[in-house]
Amino acid sequence: MRTPRPLLVSSLAAGLLGALALQAPASGAEPAAAAPDPIVFVHGWNSSGSTWDTMAARFKADGWPAGHLDQWTYNTGQSNATTASQLATEIDRVLAATGADKVDVVTHSMGGLSSRYYTKNLGGSAKVDAWISLGGPNHGTDMAYFCGGASCTEMRPGSSFLTALNSGDETPGASRYATWWSPCDSVINPDSSVPLSGATNTQTACLSHSELRTDATVYGQVKSFVG
């Protein structure tokens, strides 16, 4: 027996509405949270990406995907300008792999210099949302007189590298900048070397140079800053 046309149309309409209802999000449902920016960790002199194991593990426990935590390793004896060029390539790789628009860069000690060179001179401020310096020799450290090589020479107070890096705006572009420094950091002398004009500058408790990477309070503040 043939189905009357009005009933057939009504049945088709009901089926279509049911399908649309299945596809539509439930009323009041929360949208899926966007993945946080990838973080590129940049270590300091005579170190490696493994130095970030504690902090990276904390970010992972707090919801950062493992693929968004890049513990990058580079040759610390070369010029910081050379490292900056390599960092540019690494950040482009991370952005392509994650599909993100920007990264956050978390640095320790000398890692702050190459990454600042990248944001200032290589267009990095367009790709870096938050830039973090933990105990960075941003204006030099006396300890650099006791080591050799291009990178150590650049860390010495008054070096031509630092003079150029700190000329003009110390925190250029749209990136957000923050530094942390400890009054008990014996590697960065003077303590006033770390803060940057235009950055959010934070004094920590009495922490050693390496403890800036592992201290739970510093981690909480860094996590809050990168968002």
Side-chain angles (χ1 to χ4, degrees):
M1 183 175 73
R2 296 178 62 186
T3 302
R5 183 175 180 81
L7 291 178
L8 178 61
V9 172
S10 177
S11 177
L12 290 172
L16 178 61
L17 289 173
L20 290 174
L22 288 174
Q23 296 176 22
S27 177
E30 292 292 331
D37 287 341
I39 298 176
V40 177
F41 295 95
V42 187
H43 60 78
W45 183 78
N46 198 30
S47 188
S48 71
S50 64
T51 197
W52 295 106
D53 285 353
T54 298
M55 183 173 284
R58 285 172 169 156
F59 273 111
K60 185 177 179 181
D62 285 336
W64 269 253
H68 282 219
L69 299 168
D70 182 35
Q71 296 174 237
W72 185 53
T73 296
Y74 64 96
N75 174 10
T76 64
Q78 65 193 6
S79 168
N80 286 288
T82 301
T83 301
S85 296
Q86 295 171 350
L87 177 61
T89 300
E90 179 67 5
I91 287 177
D92 285 345
R93 185 195 68 78
V94 170
L95 291 175
T98 60
D101 295 323
K102 291 188 176 185
V103 300
D104 296 324
V105 175
V106 178
T107 76
H108 179 245
S109 196
M110 189 182 76
L113 302 186
S114 59
S115 54
R116 281 182 63 209
Y117 188 99
Y118 166 68
T119 61
K120 179 172 184 174
N121 300 312
L122 303 180
S125 62
K127 300 178 182 180
V128 174
D129 177 18
W131 176 90
I132 308 288
S133 171
L134 305 178
N138 293 309
H139 299 93
T141 175
D142 292 345
M143 289 297 290
Y145 288 110
F146 298 97
C147 62
S151 60
C152 276
T153 300
E154 291 169 352
M155 284 193 289
R156 294 170 184 171
S159 70
S160 58
F161 178 86
L162 287 176
T163 298
L165 185 62
N166 293 320
S167 63
D169 189 354
E170 291 190 338
T171 52
S175 301
R176 297 177 294 119
Y177 294 80
T179 75
W180 278 258
W181 63 276
S182 168
C184 300
D185 185 344
S186 61
V187 174
I188 305 301
N189 295 308
D191 296 338
S192 59
S193 175
V194 181
L196 292 171
S197 176
T200 299
N201 301 299
T202 302
Q203 178 180 343
T204 72
C206 183
L207 301 174
S208 69
H209 191 59
S210 61
E211 285 174 332
L212 289 166
R213 299 187 310 264
T214 59
D215 180 72
T217 298
V218 172
Y219 165 72
Q221 293 169 344
V222 169
K223 175 191 167 188
S224 177
F225 187 80
V226 301

